[in-house]
Amino acid sequence: MEFAVSREGTTLITLHGGSDTTARDDATEQLAATLERLEDDGTVTAWTIDDADVYEHPTAPFDPYTITLEFSITVVVDADDEETATSIGADAIDDVLESADVKSVTYTSAPATSTA
């Protein structure tokens, strides 16, 4: 049986930007491009980026911004029951984010599972 497993979380992206707004926009575009590529590959079935905030401002000229991005991600897995699907899906999400080089991931919710 197919199940959709979703998680919400945050990630940090550090980059150079001309202003708070530019840095947030650039970080959002960078994460969106990564998640779109995963969706195109068929690994991820849905994703959203909910918010982007400055986590750490530059302390000197030309220092980078660190941006916190809130996101949700969904994968579809095949399993016999919801409990097994939740475990498989959570592992799949971990693996796909790690392989896509999304760093500093902190999950803000337990995996949510529903029939696909």
Side-chain angles (χ1 to χ4, degrees):
M1 181 175 215
E2 283 192 336
F3 292 89
V5 180
S6 301
R7 290 209 78 176
E8 295 178 357
T10 62
T11 185
L12 298 176
I13 294 180
T14 300
L15 45 74
H16 292 276
S19 68
D20 290 2
T21 301
T22 303
R24 285 192 306 267
D25 290 348
D26 290 350
T28 300
E29 288 173 14
Q30 183 177 331
L31 182 59
T34 298
L35 296 175
E36 283 173 0
R37 192 170 50 256
L38 294 172
E39 187 175 34
D40 290 344
D41 291 347
T43 310
V44 172
T45 57
W47 59 270
T48 61
I49 298 173
D50 302 316
D51 197 17
D53 289 314
V54 175
Y55 177 76
E56 188 174 281
H57 286 274
T59 56
F62 308 109
D63 280 352
Y65 285 86
T66 300
I67 307 298
T68 301
L69 294 141
E70 296 177 9
F71 67 91
S72 63
I73 188 167
T74 303
V75 296
V76 173
V77 297
D78 223 0
D80 293 331
D81 57 59
E82 189 172 321
E83 185 177 326
T84 303
T86 300
S87 177
I88 293 170
D91 289 345
I93 289 170
D94 288 343
D95 292 345
V96 73
L97 292 175
E98 184 178 326
S99 69
D101 206 28
V102 177
K103 299 189 185 295
S104 304
V105 173
T106 302
Y107 295 109
T108 57
S109 72
T113 305
S114 60
T115 54

